[in-house]
Amino acid sequence: MDRVVAEAGCAEKRRRVLSARFTVYFVLALCLFPQADYLEVLRLVKAGEPTLRPWAGVNKSSLTRARQRLGWPVMRELFRAVARPLGRSTELFHGLRVLALDGMLLAVPDSARNRETFGKSGSQRSPMGYPQARVVAVTECSSHAVLDAVIGGWKDSERIVSDELEAHIGAGTLVLADRGLWGLARWHRFRDRGAHLLWRIERRAARRVQDVLPDGSYLALIQANKHAKAAGIVKAPPALVRVIEYRVDGQADVIRLVTSLMDHEEYPAAELAPLYARRWEIEIVFDEIKTHQRGRPVLRSQTPDGVRQEIYAHLIVHHATRDLLNEVARIAQTSAERTSFTRALHVVRRSVIAPCGVSPPSARNHDRLLGLAEIRCSLLPRRRSRDCPRKLKSSITPFSSKAPDELASHRRPPAVITMNQRWQ
């Protein structure tokens, strides 16, 4: 942390009560205790470190100025310095680390600067709700660790924001993404980094069949949109992809995936089709951050720089918590999905307010082992099958209505994936 602060030019030349180093810890504590105000968070941090200097003259405005001096690039660089894959080698898919790419929206305070920077839903004449910051992230599916993230506004497209992702997408990775993030130029950009891709696409794409493979998949050529040149956009070169089509539980909708894994013997279509469902692990990560960790419907910060600083602080806290959970999973010799994120949050929050400044290192290590044991005793049962057709009780939807006697998702048998063999 000291290295990141020094490289950002935020290190002080004179001794301050609210130094840059302490401000980083304070911003992280704001994310751990979202329901507490500034001064209450300050008291909690002071309770956990009695050797800190007295807080005479420190108030909310001085804490706000300390956050402004720190800036948000420090938290971004600190997040990138600590973010790393946490999964084990046994959780790789044929030697590839499985990553998921997607975005989420976070509501921010309705200040004039936030409205101008991030924007809100609705029309220009009648905007609705709070301004929203868009976060596009890359996560590791096995460990739920966020590896990289970029922040934009509600008015910014997920596709455009995702182009700024730089870290951890490279050789030895397999990126899963939904059709909303599809782009031929983006495909080439990720492939140039050495990453393999497994993306869902629309029905109209990849129609030029080049060859049919024995497992039912086929090779097809994807070309850029014919309207790109008219719009003044440089067209991306064509790409040869492998297309996999399948149905779930015999439904009429055909799911179409494209992948850069061309070898049908090493990467059979029957293995890639169920692997795509792992993309939903990133939705669980977003739920952990938005519902359990954030603890409030709207972020604190009234300025765009404060919002970015707060979001990256949330990502740092989430990664540290996930690191703790994956250590428990290794000790218990189980998967990370069976560990309780909320239980780990309780342990981390107690460790922050527990007085440790005068405790010897052996006592602090003992408290850490007690926390690991508590999380291990709270392992969740194995995840039940949640495969269920998209049906709602409301009839004003594009989906079929759910019958009263239809079985709930946890009582249904596992979904049956049927490969589409229309080219044989």
Side-chain angles (χ1 to χ4, degrees):
M1 185 183 69
D2 293 334
R3 175 183 59 83
V4 173
V5 171
E7 291 177 354
C10 297
E12 296 84 2
K13 296 182 179 180
R14 62 185 179 87
R15 190 178 181 187
R16 291 178 179 269
V17 174
L18 300 179
S19 63
R21 178 187 177 91
F22 174 79
T23 306
V24 170
Y25 285 119
F26 176 74
V27 175
L28 297 177
L30 289 176
C31 300
L32 275 175
F33 304 100
Q35 302 298 337
D37 58 18
Y38 273 27
L39 296 181
E40 180 61 24
V41 172
L42 191 65
R43 296 186 188 99
L44 293 173
V45 174
K46 175 65 176 177
E49 194 67 34
T51 59
L52 291 175
R53 299 174 62 185
W55 304 113
V58 176
N59 51 31
K60 181 179 179 180
S61 60
S62 59
L63 292 169
T64 301
R65 289 193 298 271
R67 288 188 60 189
Q68 293 172 350
R69 287 195 305 268
L70 182 67
W72 69 272
V74 175
M75 303 305 292
R76 179 191 61 190
E77 296 306 318
L78 182 59
F79 165 69
R80 291 179 176 177
V82 301
R84 60 184 178 86
L86 301 176
R88 292 168 287 182
S89 59
T90 56
E91 297 171 331
L92 301 180
F93 176 76
H94 292 275
L96 299 175
R97 191 175 303 278
V98 182
L99 310 180
L101 173 65
D102 208 344
M104 65 174 174
L105 292 171
L106 295 173
V108 302
D110 196 0
S111 64
R113 296 179 63 182
N114 283 343
R115 287 196 300 270
E116 180 182 0
T117 302
F118 298 111
K120 58 168 62 177
S121 60
S123 62
Q124 186 176 4
R125 293 185 177 181
S126 57
M128 299 182 298
Y130 288 94
Q132 293 180 314
R134 188 182 301 278
V135 182
V136 179
V138 176
T139 65
E140 187 181 25
C141 294
S142 60
S143 65
H144 290 187
V146 181
L147 304 181
D148 195 12
V150 181
I151 302 172
W154 178 85
K155 55 187 178 183
D156 299 323
S157 169
E158 281 187 355
R159 300 182 180 184
I160 304 301
V161 176
S162 65
D163 290 339
E164 300 180 18
L165 293 170
E166 300 176 355
H168 299 285
I169 298 181
T173 62
L174 175 61
V175 182
L176 313 180
D178 196 12
R179 50 191 167 188
L181 289 165
W182 165 256
L184 187 56
R186 194 167 302 107
W187 176 279
H188 285 294
R189 189 178 301 111
F190 287 162
R191 289 294 296 133
D192 291 341
R193 299 181 189 175
H196 285 289
L197 308 172
L198 180 63
W199 279 7
R200 186 176 180 180
I201 60 170
E202 299 178 352
R203 299 177 181 177
R204 297 173 294 178
R207 287 188 171 184
R208 300 190 176 186
V209 180
Q210 304 293 315
D211 191 14
V212 179
L213 303 177
D215 64 346
S217 61
Y218 58 93
L219 303 182
L221 193 66
I222 296 184
Q223 294 182 336
N225 192 332
K226 62 181 180 181
H227 302 293
K229 185 176 181 180
I233 303 174
V234 179
K235 295 178 65 175
L240 182 66
V241 299
R242 179 180 169 205
V243 184
I244 301 171
E245 296 183 354
Y246 63 94
R247 292 183 175 90
V248 178
D249 281 343
Q251 300 179 37
D253 294 338
V254 177
I255 300 176
R256 304 180 75 236
L257 307 178
V258 293
T259 181
S260 59
L261 301 172
M262 299 297 187
D263 192 343
H264 65 278
E265 295 182 351
E266 185 175 0
Y267 309 102
E271 294 184 7
L272 292 175
L275 178 67
Y276 177 74
R278 298 284 292 172
R279 189 192 68 82
W280 286 94
E281 298 295 333
I282 194 173
E283 302 295 346
I284 300 178
V285 174
F286 292 158
D287 175 73
E288 292 171 353
I289 297 175
K290 297 175 64 174
T291 304
H292 304 289
Q293 180 177 299
R294 183 180 57 169
R296 54 191 296 161
V298 184
L299 297 179
R300 297 175 183 263
S301 306
Q302 300 287 332
T303 63
D305 287 350
V307 168
R308 297 185 182 98
Q309 182 188 77
E310 187 176 354
I311 291 176
Y312 279 114
H314 270 292
L315 295 176
I316 294 172
V317 171
H318 180 269
H319 194 280
T321 307
R322 268 291 152 195
D323 193 5
L324 185 67
L325 289 171
N326 278 272
E327 184 176 356
V328 173
R330 285 192 293 269
I331 295 174
Q333 297 183 355
T334 185
S335 60
E337 66 182 22
R338 291 195 58 195
T339 56
S340 173
F341 182 79
T342 55
R343 176 57 56 191
L345 270 181
H346 295 326
V347 172
V348 172
R349 286 166 178 163
R350 287 200 306 269
S351 67
V352 171
I353 62 178
C356 62
V358 296
S359 303
S362 59
R364 292 197 292 269
N365 185 56
H366 178 69
D367 293 340
R368 180 175 176 276
L369 293 178
L370 289 178
L372 293 175
E374 179 182 345
I375 299 173
R376 183 178 179 182
C377 293
S378 304
L379 291 179
L380 303 175
R382 296 194 179 276
R383 187 183 299 174
R384 65 192 183 190
S385 175
R386 296 181 181 178
D387 302 312
C388 189
R390 294 187 86 174
K391 295 183 180 180
L392 304 177
K393 292 184 177 180
S394 174
S395 59
I396 313 177
T397 66
F399 309 109
S400 304
S401 299
K402 189 171 184 177
D405 57 347
E406 189 169 347
L407 294 178
S409 60
H410 64 278
R411 296 180 180 177
R412 298 175 68 251
V416 178
I417 294 178
T418 306
M419 307 309 299
N420 194 25
Q421 307 284 349
R422 63 171 179 152
W423 296 107
Q424 292 184 354

